[in-house]
Amino acid sequence: MSDWSPTSYARPTEWLLRVSESQVPYAVVRRFLKGDPNRPEEWFRVVTYAPTSEARELIGWVRSFDQACQLGWDYRIAFEEWRHHMAARRTDNSVMAAAKPPAGELVKFWREHRQGSSS
C-alpha cells in the first residue's frame, strides 16, 4: 500500500486575511507562479476583500507571503484611520465612498506618514 494521495499535489493558492473567524476578511492574498515553468518566480497579489472578485481592489504585488500579509494588515490599519478621520469631520457615507483613495495609494501614503512621524 502506497502513502501517496492526490492531496500531496495540493498547494495553497489563496488566503483570506481576517482578525478572527467571526469577522469579515479585510484582504485576500493569492499566490502566483510566473515565468519559466521549470523555475517559476513566486508572486503574491493582495486585494481588498469583497464577496465577489469584481468588487475587489488591488492593493499590491509582493514577492513573499510575509510581505503580502503585512501589506494586507497595513491596508486594514490605513483604511480604518482614513475612515476615522473622515467620520470625525462628520462626512456623509456617500461622500466618503466618492472620496476614498485607491487602496494601493492609501497604503503608500499611510506608510510614508507612519515612517515620517516615527523619525
Side-chain angles (χ1 to χ4, degrees):
M1 182 72 61
S2 172
D3 288 337
W4 181 86
S5 164
T7 58
S8 64
Y9 289 132
R11 299 289 180 267
T13 59
E14 187 172 275
W15 297 263
L16 296 176
L17 303 182
R18 65 176 92 213
V19 175
S20 70
E21 282 299 314
S22 64
Q23 291 187 331
V24 173
Y26 53 86
V28 180
V29 173
R30 189 161 179 99
R31 178 178 170 261
F32 291 87
L33 298 176
K34 297 180 174 262
D36 181 354
N38 296 318
R39 296 188 64 183
E41 292 182 11
E42 186 175 52
W43 284 86
F44 295 87
R45 182 187 69 198
V46 186
V47 297
T48 60
Y49 176 77
T52 64
S53 294
E54 298 78 27
R56 295 176 183 174
E57 183 182 353
L58 178 67
I59 300 170
W61 287 88
V62 293
R63 293 298 306 268
S64 76
F65 183 67
D66 285 342
Q67 289 173 330
C69 291
Q70 185 65 58
L71 183 58
W73 182 256
D74 287 356
Y75 169 75
R76 179 182 183 271
I77 300 301
F79 179 70
E80 288 301 319
E81 286 185 9
W82 176 83
R83 216 173 65 153
H84 178 75
H85 171 76
M86 295 298 280
R89 295 172 156 218
R90 307 264 189 248
T91 305
D92 170 285
N93 281 342
S94 61
V95 173
M96 263 172 131
K100 184 189 169 296
E105 291 298 315
L106 183 62
V107 172
K108 181 180 176 186
F109 175 83
W110 180 83
R111 285 178 168 179
E112 288 171 1
H113 175 71
R114 182 189 63 180
Q115 288 175 345
S117 65
S118 64
S119 301

